[in-house]
Amino acid sequence: MNSQTSVNTSMARRARMLDVIRQQGFVSIPELRDSLEVSESTIRRDLESLEESGEARRTHGGVFYTGSVTTVRQFQRGNPNDGAWDKKRAIALEAAKLVNDHDTVLLDGGSTTYELAKQLVGRPLQIVTNSLPVANLFSASDSVDLVILGGAIHNRTGVTHGPFTDQMLETINVQKAFLSVAGVNEKGFYNSNLLLVETERCMMRSADRTIIVADSTKFGRSSLARMLEWNQVDTLVVDEDLSTLWRDRIDELDTNLILAPLNNSQDTHSNSIS
Amino acid sequence: MNSQTSVNTSMARRARMLDVIRQQGFVSIPELRDSLEVSESTIRRDLESLEESGEARRTHGGVFYTGSVTTVRQFQRGNPNDGAWDKKRAIALEAAKLVNDHDTVLLDGGSTTYELAKQLVGRPLQIVTNSLPVANLFSASDSVDLVILGGAIHNRTGVTHGPFTDQMLETINVQKAFLSVAGVNEKGFYNSNLLLVETERCMMRSADRTIIVADSTKFGRSSLARMLEWNQVDTLVVDEDLSTLWRDRIDELDTNLILAPLNNSQDTHSNSIS
DNA sequence: CGAATGACGATCAAAAACGATCAAAGTAAG
DNA sequence: CTTACTTTGATCGTTTTTGATCGTCATTCG
């Protein structure tokens, strides 16, 4: 349809700029020019604004990040025609069967867990989540008790994270936690954001059972930060496109593997497996 | 011509436009022109109307979505001709003037603070809120750092409250807190929910300045739980329908009173708090 | 200590976006 | 069929944003 990544407004650019600065800690102006594809003049003007707001501090030759650990961006919630969508939905259908009525369930952010949340709407549950989109799904429902994990919103994904979130998780206990990942390899499970990973570790500690939902494209890909190791995960829900190589590997571990059928025949969901 | 497939009325077009805006959070005018296949002039006119009705907010280079999220049971805008709604928006306009760029602002739940939030979308701010609808407003914005107060969701209103929320507020400090009320009488300010009131007291303690937004119909009405007393409130923003009796009463107190003009005339005096 | 390289800030011109105005096309009423 | 009214598209002048140039200042190296 239309271009996906480039949003041509100064605010969006400054947010992306701040993302780069935060991620690297210190960046030179030519680096910013290359990564944002605008002139250095524009960079300087933006930095002036960012310094004004205290989110960055300029020095000779570059910028330091000084802001708090937040920035907000949330764009389109994925392309409807994306092929991965079917996988996510298939996974969500299987994962929903793991939830019993009146369970207390923790839902991480991410498109797959969002699909799972859609499947859970209307059922009598206690839901704990750090995801704003997920919270919206349940906020209109009378059948669920909804608890939101507070904290700073990570714009791209619309989830809270950071110390506030972690602190709140320490006093919470849930029966099942559904976590999403950005990558899986033989060492464990990865996500892209350091603070988010720390929050997800706290989620794992708060849960009796940790269930990972991940489509098959995530396998063999790592990311910035390792979130969990294999022995920390009780159950893994993947679509059936998972290679036999990985299936064999997982068979040798304690982790329980559930394969979601991609055949999009409406299977009459007989829910409730424990 | 063929009125069956392509509905070319302005209402239908605006509805589709709003769909696109809601889905993407932020859209540029050329994008809207391409996806709706009308001229940019028409887009601008429609956006003007949409902004007038409060469903979107324009900035340089595009539009933000500010309408209600479909899944959230919103405070009913109820009667289109409801006079109270004009009052709320007039109050919101005045209250928005109290906010400076790069302020840290706490926004309570409630219809009036929601209107205020709409006015603040697109400005560079740090926002702390316990309201899910308010959080949704800002989650698409690049210019704000958004922090959500965790806790249990109060179904009717979509705000978090309870001990989690209060605990989180203890470690937060904001410059200005905007609180809404259900009633005001000579003893102080009231709300209907006990736990909510306790949370709002915590909000007041976390803020350098406490600003109450309340339309004139709230005056003389009490409610279940007293939230604050008069001397705890720095500033009060009310519409100009407030009776002279109350104006005189407030004059004798320390509380600063701001009257919001109800007709849409451009008022010249700009009041700002540093 | 002084020249050279690079970074910074200011200024100016081009480009994009905006608002207002006007004419054309379409619609409803008489 | 004509007239009044609304809606749409296009144009123009103005404002905002962006990119490039140039003089000045700082840091480095000889």
Side-chain angles (χ1 to χ4, degrees):
Chain A
M1 285 270 213
N2 40 16
S3 65
Q4 62 237 12
T5 49
S6 69
V7 174
N8 288 327
T9 173
S10 64
M11 280 186 306
R13 186 189 51 244
R14 283 178 196 172
R16 278 185 296 158
M17 189 177 303
L18 205 56
D19 272 342
V20 175
I21 300 171
R22 184 191 318 111
Q23 193 173 353
Q24 307 216 8
F26 179 86
V27 203
S28 73
I29 288 180
E31 279 177 312
L32 283 174
R33 166 178 52 79
D34 291 340
S35 76
L36 297 177
E37 295 176 347
V38 291
S39 74
E40 296 191 6
S41 298
T42 304
I43 303 277
R44 290 182 205 284
R45 271 188 290 262
D46 287 348
L47 290 184
E48 194 174 352
S49 161
L50 288 178
E51 186 166 37
E52 179 77 15
S53 71
E55 298 170 286
R57 178 164 301 155
R58 305 184 57 186
T59 66
H60 281 269
V63 208
F64 281 102
Y65 181 73
T66 59
S68 57
V69 203
T70 55
T71 293
V72 181
R73 174 173 45 172
Q74 178 172 356
F75 287 143
Q76 72 259 24
R77 206 151 285 166
N79 298 325
N81 294 334
D82 201 326
W85 205 256
D86 290 334
K87 299 182 180 180
K88 292 177 198 302
R89 204 174 52 199
I91 294 168
L93 282 169
E94 286 303 310
K97 296 178 185 173
L98 301 176
V99 178
N100 302 315
D101 285 354
H102 305 293
D103 270 355
T104 300
V105 177
L106 196 157
L107 289 177
D108 189 14
S111 51
T112 311
T113 49
Y114 183 77
E115 284 300 308
L116 171 57
K118 285 204 246 176
Q119 299 298 325
L120 298 178
V121 168
R123 294 180 56 181
L125 297 167
Q126 280 190 302
I127 300 283
V128 181
T129 186
N130 67 331
S131 161
L132 204 50
V134 170
N136 281 318
L137 278 182
F138 292 110
S139 65
S141 171
D142 287 327
S143 61
V144 298
D145 288 341
L146 177 61
V147 173
I148 294 185
L149 298 168
I153 282 276
H154 184 249
N155 332 6
R156 283 249 309 278
T157 52
V159 300
T160 62
H161 68 307
F164 283 126
T165 317
D166 302 348
Q167 177 189 347
M168 192 163 163
L169 276 165
E170 283 175 12
T171 57
I172 283 182
N173 181 266
V174 301
Q175 290 157 28
K176 290 156 192 164
F178 290 89
L179 303 186
S180 62
V181 297
V184 184
N185 71 9
E186 61 277 356
K187 291 179 184 170
F189 302 87
Y190 293 79
N191 252 341
S192 56
N193 184 291
L194 282 171
L195 286 170
L196 215 55
V197 160
E198 183 55 37
T199 298
E200 279 159 330
R201 284 211 196 93
C202 294
M203 289 180 176
M204 188 266 296
R205 283 194 288 270
S206 300
D208 300 338
R209 287 184 61 188
T210 300
I211 300 158
I212 300 276
V213 289
D215 62 80
S216 54
T217 65
K218 303 287 174 59
F219 281 73
R221 295 202 327 214
S222 64
S223 188
L224 177 66
R226 186 160 71 210
M227 182 168 74
L228 301 174
E229 310 197 1
W230 278 95
N231 57 21
Q232 297 177 290
V233 174
D234 295 294
T235 305
L236 180 62
V237 185
V238 197
D239 60 273
E240 62 181 1
D241 277 353
L242 186 67
S243 69
T244 52
L245 171 68
W246 277 104
R247 298 189 191 194
D248 293 343
R249 276 187 186 166
I250 298 171
D251 269 347
E252 297 172 4
L253 301 168
D254 283 341
T255 304
N256 185 21
L257 176 64
I258 295 179
L259 289 171
L262 278 176
N263 187 5
N264 44 3
S265 64
Q266 288 290 33
D267 76 315
T268 56
H269 40 290
S270 60
N271 44 3
S272 90
I273 297 178
S274 171
Chain B
M1 305 293 185
N2 50 357
S3 61
Q4 196 71 5
T5 52
S6 67
V7 184
N8 282 333
T9 127
S10 68
M11 272 196 316
R13 186 187 53 243
R14 283 179 195 173
R16 277 187 298 157
M17 189 177 304
L18 204 55
D19 275 342
V20 175
I21 300 171
R22 183 191 309 117
Q23 189 178 352
Q24 307 226 4
F26 179 89
V27 203
S28 73
I29 287 181
E31 280 177 317
L32 283 174
R33 167 177 52 78
D34 292 341
S35 79
L36 297 177
E37 295 176 347
V38 290
S39 74
E40 296 191 5
S41 299
T42 304
I43 303 278
R44 290 181 206 283
R45 270 188 291 264
D46 287 349
L47 290 185
E48 196 173 350
S49 158
L50 255 45
E51 185 168 39
E52 180 71 18
S53 70
E55 298 171 286
R57 184 138 204 278
R58 304 184 59 188
T59 67
H60 269 271
V63 209
F64 281 103
Y65 180 71
T66 58
S68 58
V69 177
T70 52
T71 54
V72 176
R73 185 184 307 165
Q74 207 62 264
F75 347 91
Q76 272 321 69
R77 190 165 298 165
N79 315 323
N81 297 334
D82 199 331
W85 199 69
D86 288 334
K87 297 181 181 178
K88 289 175 199 305
R89 205 166 55 183
I91 293 168
L93 281 169
E94 285 304 310
K97 295 180 184 172
L98 301 178
V99 178
N100 302 316
D101 285 354
H102 308 294
D103 269 354
T104 300
V105 177
L106 196 157
L107 290 177
D108 188 14
S111 53
T112 311
T113 49
Y114 184 76
E115 285 301 313
L116 171 58
K118 283 193 199 173
Q119 297 299 324
L120 297 179
V121 167
R123 292 181 57 182
L125 297 168
Q126 280 191 302
I127 301 283
V128 181
T129 186
N130 67 330
S131 161
L132 205 50
V134 169
N136 281 315
L137 275 185
F138 291 110
S139 67
S141 170
D142 285 319
S143 61
V144 300
D145 286 347
L146 178 61
V147 173
I148 295 185
L149 298 168
I153 282 278
H154 187 248
N155 271 21
R156 285 251 311 281
T157 54
V159 300
T160 62
H161 66 301
F164 283 125
T165 317
D166 301 348
Q167 177 189 349
M168 190 163 164
L169 275 166
E170 283 175 11
T171 57
I172 282 183
N173 180 266
V174 301
Q175 291 158 28
K176 290 153 192 165
F178 290 88
L179 304 187
S180 62
V181 296
V184 183
N185 69 11
E186 62 277 357
K187 290 180 184 170
F189 302 87
Y190 294 79
N191 252 343
S192 55
N193 184 291
L194 282 171
L195 284 172
L196 217 56
V197 159
E198 182 55 37
T199 298
E200 280 159 330
R201 283 211 197 94
C202 294
M203 289 180 176
M204 188 267 296
R205 282 195 288 269
S206 299
D208 298 338
R209 289 170 177 270
T210 301
I211 300 158
I212 300 277
V213 288
D215 61 81
S216 53
T217 64
K218 304 286 174 59
F219 281 73
R221 296 202 327 213
S222 65
S223 188
L224 177 64
R226 186 160 72 210
M227 182 169 74
L228 301 175
E229 309 196 1
W230 277 95
N231 57 20
Q232 295 177 291
V233 174
D234 294 295
T235 305
L236 181 61
V237 186
V238 197
D239 60 273
E240 63 180 1
D241 277 355
L242 185 67
S243 68
T244 52
L245 171 67
W246 277 105
R247 297 188 192 195
D248 293 342
R249 275 188 188 167
I250 299 170
D251 269 347
E252 296 170 4
L253 299 168
D254 283 340
T255 305
N256 185 19
L257 177 64
I258 294 178
L259 289 171
L262 278 176
N263 54 7
N264 41 9
S265 65
Q266 293 286 49
D267 75 327
T268 51
H269 64 284
S270 66
N271 34 20
S272 69
I273 296 184
S274 61

